[in-house]
Amino acid sequence: MERLDDAALGGLESVLRAECGMVLAPSVRRSLGTALTRAAEAQGLPPLDFLHRLLARDTGAVESFIGYAVIGETYFFRHPEQLRELARVASVHVGPFLVWSAGCASGEEPYSIAMALLTAGLLPEHIRVVGTDVSGRALDKARQGVYSPWSVRRMELALERRYLTLRPDSVTVPTEVRARVEFRRHNLVTDPPPLSGAQAIFCRNVLIYFPPETIRTVLKRLVAALAPGGWLFLAPAELPFTRGLGLEEQMVEGLPVLRKPLTGPLPVPPAEPTPPRGPSRTPGAPLQMVPVVHAPPAVASLAASLPETLAPAAPSGPLVRDTLEQARAAARAGHFEQAEAFARLAARELSPEAYLLLAMVAEQRGDVREAVACVRKALYLEPQLAIGHAMLVALYGQLGQADEAERARRNALRALEGLDDELVLRGVEEMTVGGLRRALVPGVKMGKSGAR
């Protein structure tokens, strides 16, 4: 069908907000037309007829549309550092071990959790993983346990061979792993928790689609579903919303995870908490459990290394943008130490662009591996950051890692799917979707900081 006008897009957004509580970013909003067309085809209806049914809140149309509109990208062992921590915790646990994967999409995450727990040596009968999602279509795929090879692109080969049945065009989750996972349809916004007493809950890159008032409600439900001492795994960008919930924080491989206290009631969070800025963690200091009352210290060790004259309170909101602009200006002028200092300040507020700028500075001084590490932190915060994937193409090329460079190129192209060519991408320097697509064509030379 023709491109949807603003009124139609607004109607589709209202459906998602009413049914799922979702609020979409402008760049994602444009993909709703594609979701509408695919859902209409699945229902055997012309797109316009399907649109009318959808806006009239026809149950079948709504369920079909949600299935095509909210499925996020996922793959096996997407965040191995969190799974390693889960395995460590589980290895000393006695008795049944319950994990909830909230917003599990097509199921790769809950299956990865089950594999991690089996690898940790838990008895199969003690492992129970519950995967939930609002999309019935996604859950149908999850229950089948059959995926394309693309879903194992980051999985270690030894784990692939141990737990999956591999074929040239598919991978299948075997019965012994599938038996440990249960899938349920569940709406995080409108439904009560599907379980209680969980040892761990994974809810990554889901809360960012909700408005702030809804996020607080969902987080309270997640915390209530945890057993005392249970762990909550969120995306770094979602951690600021947990302030005031009384959770403890621990650093795992340089990134924070949250834990429900073993004893004592959780305090009632204020409606609009304004916690004081806490001290940064000194590099090399022992890990400590501390209440979450400060900005998430995913990069606290970086901030702590700044000269005192360049380390005021971490910027937030518009100040982050101003700090990034100062960093860009310093970099353009060749003042790379100053650029790095400003970028580190912005990184303390978990800005993906700040990490991209830190990568450029590291590359400028010849530390390509550090540049790769910085880009990977940016992608950890925002996995669909196309500019970040494109930068990895150039960086891996400098390291002579052709396979990794090609994988990064494919990831960048996938991140651009469904976006208009004229859309300006997030990154350090301005670039449109169309410009980056052209730069990612095989054979086009990628410059030091990305596409040229």
Side-chain angles (χ1 to χ4, degrees):
M1 65 180 299
E2 295 182 2
R3 180 176 296 181
L4 297 172
D5 58 24
D6 287 342
L9 284 172
L12 296 181
E13 282 189 308
S14 69
V15 170
L16 288 179
R17 180 154 191 167
E19 299 296 328
C20 309
M22 291 179 60
V23 177
L24 301 181
S27 59
V28 180
R29 192 174 188 244
R30 298 175 181 272
S31 68
L32 293 182
T34 301
L36 173 70
T37 300
R38 292 176 178 173
E41 291 174 353
Q43 294 285 301
L45 293 171
L48 191 57
D49 290 350
F50 181 81
L51 175 61
H52 291 155
R53 292 193 184 189
L54 184 59
L55 297 180
R57 297 299 200 274
D58 174 82
T59 301
V62 169
E63 291 183 357
S64 180
F65 177 64
I66 288 173
Y68 284 92
V70 305
I71 296 178
E73 190 210 11
T74 185
Y75 46 86
F76 286 99
F77 286 82
R78 183 173 183 178
H79 301 285
E81 69 289 339
Q82 293 189 344
L83 292 173
R84 284 193 291 269
E85 179 64 11
L86 178 72
R88 184 194 67 78
V89 171
S91 65
V92 296
H93 181 83
V94 178
F97 198 88
L98 172 62
V99 183
W100 177 15
S101 171
C104 69
S106 47
E108 288 94 324
E109 179 178 85
Y111 284 135
S112 297
I113 292 168
M115 295 176 200
L117 295 177
L118 288 168
T119 303
L122 271 69
L123 294 174
E125 58 268 26
H126 283 176
I127 298 172
R128 182 185 173 209
V129 182
V130 178
T132 66
D133 202 88
V134 72
S135 169
R137 174 173 170 266
L139 293 174
D140 287 343
K141 177 176 176 58
R143 293 187 183 100
Q144 294 171 8
V146 180
Y147 301 92
S148 74
W150 183 247
S151 289
V152 297
R153 59 190 181 275
R154 290 291 186 184
M155 192 171 176
E156 293 180 9
L157 185 59
L159 290 173
E160 283 187 39
R161 291 171 175 169
R162 179 174 178 180
Y163 290 115
L164 298 175
T165 302
L166 306 175
R167 296 185 177 85
D169 58 349
S170 68
V171 294
T172 302
V173 180
T175 302
E176 58 266 31
V177 175
R178 291 169 61 190
R180 311 273 63 85
V181 182
E182 172 190 353
F183 292 101
R184 300 184 192 177
R185 188 165 187 178
H186 178 264
N187 189 321
L188 282 167
V189 176
T190 61
D191 299 338
L195 49 78
S196 61
Q199 275 69 51
I201 295 176
F202 287 74
C203 186
R204 294 187 50 88
N205 300 310
V206 177
L207 301 177
I208 55 176
Y209 292 104
F210 300 148
E213 65 275 12
T214 301
I215 292 174
R216 297 292 290 181
T217 300
V218 172
L219 276 171
K220 291 177 187 177
R221 290 175 179 167
L222 295 177
V223 173
L226 281 171
W231 296 85
L232 178 60
F233 295 94
L234 303 174
E238 297 164 329
L239 290 169
F241 297 108
T242 65
R243 296 172 185 170
L245 289 177
L247 297 171
E248 299 170 336
E249 180 180 290
Q250 180 171 331
M251 297 299 290
V252 173
E253 299 186 28
L255 294 163
V257 295
L258 303 173
R259 189 187 189 205
K260 185 174 181 178
L262 279 168
T263 58
L266 290 174
V268 177
E272 294 184 4
T274 54
R277 175 176 175 258
S280 297
R281 174 174 171 263
T282 303
L287 298 180
Q288 295 180 341
M289 288 293 211
V290 295
V292 182
V293 293
H294 53 79
V299 288
S301 60
L302 296 181
S305 67
L306 285 174
E308 205 166 309
T309 56
L310 290 174
S316 60
L319 288 179
V320 173
R321 292 191 292 273
D322 292 344
T323 306
L324 278 174
E325 188 50 47
Q326 288 176 297
R328 292 188 185 101
R332 294 188 194 105
H335 304 311
F336 295 110
E337 289 186 6
Q338 187 179 12
E340 183 175 16
F342 282 120
R344 287 184 190 278
L345 284 176
R348 286 163 63 181
E349 285 295 303
L350 302 177
S351 163
E353 292 92 335
Y355 280 113
L356 295 185
L357 188 50
L358 286 171
M360 294 174 66
V361 172
E363 185 187 14
Q364 180 67 32
R365 64 170 179 259
D367 192 346
V368 179
R369 295 190 183 280
E370 174 63 18
V372 168
C374 289
V375 175
R376 290 177 68 84
K377 287 178 181 178
L379 293 173
Y380 188 93
L381 293 171
E382 190 169 328
Q384 290 296 96
L385 193 62
I387 291 290
H389 292 293
M391 288 176 68
L392 286 180
V393 177
L395 293 170
Y396 282 130
Q398 292 181 58
L399 293 172
Q401 299 179 17
D403 290 345
E404 290 295 329
E406 175 57 22
R407 183 180 290 110
R409 187 185 71 84
R410 293 197 302 266
N411 287 343
L413 289 171
R414 284 177 62 86
L416 297 175
E417 288 179 359
L419 302 181
D420 288 352
D421 280 351
E422 298 305 312
L423 180 68
V424 177
L425 291 164
R426 291 180 60 186
V428 177
E429 299 293 349
E430 185 172 299
M431 175 171 281
T432 64
V433 169
L436 186 56
R437 278 202 186 102
R438 290 188 293 274
L440 289 167
V441 173
V444 174
K445 183 178 180 182
M446 302 290 287
K448 290 188 71 175
S449 60
R452 285 285 189 270

